[in-house]
Amino acid sequence: MTGAGRVAAPMVEARGVRKSFGRHEVLKGINLTVPTGSVVSLLGPSGSGKSTFLRCINHLETIDGGEIDVAGRLVGYRRQNGKKYELKPAEIAAARRDVGMVFQRFNLFNHLTALENITLAPVLAKGVPKDAAAERARQLLSDVGLADFGGHYPSQLSGGQQQRVAIARALAMDPKLMLFDEPTSALDPELVGDVLDVMRRLAEQGMTMIVVTHEIGFAREVCDSVVFIDDGVVVEEGPPAQVLGNPVHARTRAFLSKVL
Amino acid sequence: MTPTPAVADEPIVRLRHPWRWLAAILILIVLAQIVVYVATTDAFRLDLVAQYFFDQRVLNGVVTTLQLTVLAMLVGVVGGVVLAVMRMSDNGVLRAVAGGFVWVFRGTPVLVQLYLWFYLGTVLPKVTLGVPFGPTLFTASTSDLISPLTAGILGLGLNEAAYMAEIVRGGINSVDRGQSEAAEALGLTPGQTFRRVVLPQAARVIVPPTGNEVITMLKLSSLVTIIGMTDLLGAVQQISARNLQTFPLFEVAALWYLLITSILTVGQGMLERRFARGHRGVGSTLQLAGA
């Protein structure tokens, strides 16, 4: 399941994705294609549905309509005989191993050290030997500038350090796709730069990334395209220079005038 | 005017607390009187207390009490985890059954439950294991199965399970939703997520009240004397029924219970520190990175 031979295929393709919480429809038919190797940022006002859409991509939310393909495979279902069969929990877990996720509030495992946070999933879900997993974890910690912090518990790390450990934890599973859900929104301003630097380097290495963010600067410099979502639909998408510099839609202009 | 000339040099007179001293002295006088009274009054028979403290029958009773406490707590903790998971299940029948269990077992006195288990044989003479409405695999008389020990373990343990269910549920609910989301996003199965991420963190919240439950159980287990078990309390009752030294023998029981609960309290403190790992960084800064 390496996806070889599908290099030209998009990493993520969403068609008419709908999602409701109770009677409130949050996603009203999202269409989006993310080519392999590209970095896409999702922009939009709070409550626009951008985080919900991101969570749908790795099935943390179940969608009510439409469908999402990740690396050519349907998310959450198996298509057979003209029907979509819901996947079993173990199958969903297996599919998620290809998709890394970074959360706004880090969600590091509080009872484990930084190193243990990183090794837990490779050992449990992929059967990587403990020594090899620890070796890899040390490498990843050093990559995110935290080589000396493997023995620290999350409560002993700053927010910026926790978020970098969280990125290392996701990378330890060798994902094909990384999802970032407002990764710098819970950080003190002076800590944002370190996290963005790690993300920038990841983008340079060719990782496919979808980033929900309010960091317009990051979107402009690092992203291949910017998608503006409002009220559950994609309003506008294109290269950063176009969407951020010369938006077509009034709603995009109104949003940008508030955040810039 | 020169700045701050003779600031720090005058002596400071601390506020005095005469009432504190008075209260302390009065209480110490009362305590001294009690100690002197106990030491000089023959009716306490401290010699008998010392003599019976290590009496073989008393020691056997202590062992029975400890066995009963451990087994009943085992039933209680395992049952409590199962009930808590059932109560949080997506399956409505499981939720309702667990809710009904807690309702019945918390809603009746444990003393009554002990009697009901002990006399179960009068309404259910035989216990049969087999395929429902099909062939029988195993059958036995209830009075053979339910010894006083079994009745005691069931009575105390199932009652405890109802309380533990609430404690476990509170612990599981205390773990932030983001923890299991992160685990599932990494590709862990729901079972792995529960065992390796949620439960270890819930334990921090579950352990302290469970320690209290163990101590309560140790004392509550003395109720089994009413169904004819010779635990610590039963042993001293039997001895005192013969030699009529009632008060000294109950002193023996009280001292044993106090000794065991004191040891348990120390153990509880150690367990709490163990499970507080990662919170306020207990004992972790030393084992440094990459080690």
Side-chain angles (χ1 to χ4, degrees):
Chain A
M1 279 165 271
T2 54
R6 288 187 172 274
V7 179
M11 180 60 76
V12 175
E13 190 163 12
R15 294 178 292 271
V17 172
R18 312 180 81 86
K19 170 75 188 171
S20 300
F21 290 115
R23 297 167 67 185
H24 176 56
E25 191 170 41
V26 183
L27 304 180
K28 302 174 178 174
I30 297 257
N31 296 301
L32 184 68
T33 301
V34 177
T36 301
S38 70
V39 179
V40 175
S41 71
L42 305 184
L43 254 51
S46 54
S48 60
K50 55 196 190 306
S51 282
T52 302
F53 174 64
L54 195 75
R55 292 161 57 82
C56 289
I57 296 175
N58 71 349
H59 208 242
L60 281 179
E61 305 288 353
T62 308
I63 60 180
D64 301 327
E67 54 191 37
I68 304 176
D69 285 341
V70 172
R73 295 175 63 179
L74 197 58
V75 172
Y77 299 92
R78 179 168 21 89
R79 181 172 278 122
Q80 210 176 328
N81 306 329
K83 288 178 187 160
K84 287 195 283 191
Y85 292 87
E86 259 187 55
L87 294 180
K88 294 175 196 146
E91 295 171 315
I92 294 169
R96 282 180 179 140
R97 283 162 209 166
D98 290 339
V99 183
M101 179 138 188
V102 174
F103 297 87
Q104 182 178 356
R105 296 188 50 247
F106 332 131
N107 297 352
L108 288 183
F109 306 130
N110 296 316
H111 63 305
L112 301 177
T113 63
L115 195 84
E116 290 165 346
N117 262 279
I118 300 172
T119 57
L120 182 76
V123 171
L124 278 184
K126 284 178 133 182
V128 176
K130 277 187 183 163
D131 291 350
E135 186 59 43
R136 179 82 203 286
R138 279 190 279 273
Q139 181 58 49
L140 286 165
L141 276 173
S142 140
D143 290 349
V144 298
L146 295 172
D148 293 335
F149 292 85
H152 284 52
Y153 284 93
S155 60
Q156 299 168 319
L157 299 170
S158 74
Q161 291 170 332
Q162 289 190 54
Q163 194 61 299
R164 284 183 280 156
V165 173
I167 294 172
R169 175 175 72 174
L171 291 174
M173 292 296 283
D174 295 316
K176 297 174 187 159
L177 166 68
M178 285 285 285
L179 308 175
F180 293 84
D181 189 3
E182 304 202 26
T184 57
S185 298
L187 298 179
D188 292 335
E190 75 271 21
L191 303 175
V192 169
D194 291 338
V195 171
L196 291 182
D197 283 344
V198 169
M199 292 169 63
R200 188 173 289 124
R201 258 181 287 139
L202 201 54
E204 284 162 5
Q205 289 160 16
M207 176 66 75
T208 312
M209 294 163 61
I210 305 179
V211 186
V212 171
T213 187
H214 295 295
E215 297 288 334
I216 303 294
F218 178 83
R220 195 195 317 268
E221 291 161 33
V222 181
C223 293
D224 300 306
S225 70
V226 171
V227 178
F228 178 70
I229 293 178
D230 192 12
D231 199 23
V233 292
V234 173
V235 175
E236 186 164 358
E237 65 174 298
Q242 180 201 314
V243 175
L244 298 173
N246 193 13
V248 179
H249 286 266
R251 279 198 279 178
T252 317
R253 281 199 295 271
F255 172 75
L256 289 174
S257 71
K258 282 179 205 152
V259 296
L260 282 178
Chain B
M1 192 176 131
T2 48
T4 61
V7 172
D9 290 26
E10 292 128 312
I12 292 167
V13 180
R14 297 281 175 205
L15 185 61
R16 302 201 186 278
H17 299 282
W19 294 108
R20 268 188 212 170
W21 284 99
L22 188 66
I25 288 165
L26 285 177
I27 287 168
L28 286 175
I29 289 173
V30 173
L31 281 178
Q33 276 187 314
I34 292 174
V35 169
V36 170
Y37 183 78
V38 170
T40 56
T41 306
D42 288 342
F44 282 101
R45 297 299 305 269
L46 297 180
D47 56 324
L48 277 184
V49 172
Q51 180 191 329
Y52 278 105
F53 197 75
F54 294 110
D55 185 282
Q56 192 55 48
R57 288 164 290 177
V58 172
L59 293 180
N60 289 343
V62 169
V63 170
T64 306
T65 290
L66 289 175
Q67 276 178 341
L68 193 59
T69 305
V70 168
L71 291 172
M73 275 314 293
L74 204 66
V75 171
V77 169
V78 172
V81 172
V82 170
L83 284 170
V85 170
M86 281 170 75
R87 285 200 96 168
M88 293 186 288
S89 158
D90 291 330
N91 185 330
V93 175
L94 292 187
R95 274 203 311 275
V97 167
F101 183 96
V102 172
W103 175 60
V104 169
F105 283 84
R106 281 206 311 189
T108 53
V110 66
L111 190 55
V112 174
Q113 290 172 32
L114 281 171
Y115 272 124
L116 289 176
W117 284 111
F118 188 61
Y119 293 112
L120 187 66
T122 57
V123 293
L124 185 71
K126 276 184 179 170
V127 175
T128 299
L129 201 66
V131 182
F133 310 107
T136 302
L137 301 175
F138 165 86
T139 190
S141 140
T142 305
S143 49
D144 292 344
L145 284 180
I146 305 243
S147 65
L149 179 65
T150 332
I153 293 167
L154 283 175
L156 295 171
L158 293 180
N159 182 261
E160 183 59 32
Y163 287 92
M164 283 304 302
E166 296 301 296
I167 292 172
V168 172
R169 194 162 66 123
I172 292 172
N173 282 338
S174 77
V175 180
D176 182 54
R177 178 92 191 89
Q179 295 284 311
S180 46
E181 273 188 357
E184 285 176 10
L186 283 165
L188 267 55
T189 63
Q192 288 170 332
T193 301
F194 182 71
R195 286 192 308 275
R196 302 299 295 269
V197 173
V198 176
L199 210 49
Q201 296 188 64
R204 192 177 54 86
V205 176
I206 293 170
V207 163
T210 304
N212 290 337
E213 293 293 307
V214 173
I215 288 167
T216 307
M217 177 63 79
L218 179 84
K219 295 175 292 174
L220 209 59
S221 70
S222 58
L223 289 176
V224 298
T225 53
I226 58 106
I227 55 170
M229 270 187 80
T230 315
D231 67 333
L232 174 54
L233 181 64
V236 301
Q237 276 180 339
Q238 284 177 12
I239 298 170
S240 69
R242 298 232 182 103
N243 68 7
L244 302 180
Q245 294 291 347
T246 310
F247 203 94
L249 278 157
F250 278 93
E251 286 175 62
V252 170
L255 286 174
W256 265 113
Y257 282 117
L258 192 59
L259 177 67
I260 302 170
T261 51
S262 304
I263 295 169
L264 287 175
T265 307
V266 173
Q268 185 188 6
M270 280 161 32
L271 262 185
E272 276 176 39
R273 277 192 292 283
R274 168 78 176 70
F275 279 103
R277 252 188 333 171
H279 285 263
R280 278 172 272 138
V282 180
S284 58
T285 31
L286 295 179
Q287 32 163 305
L288 264 186

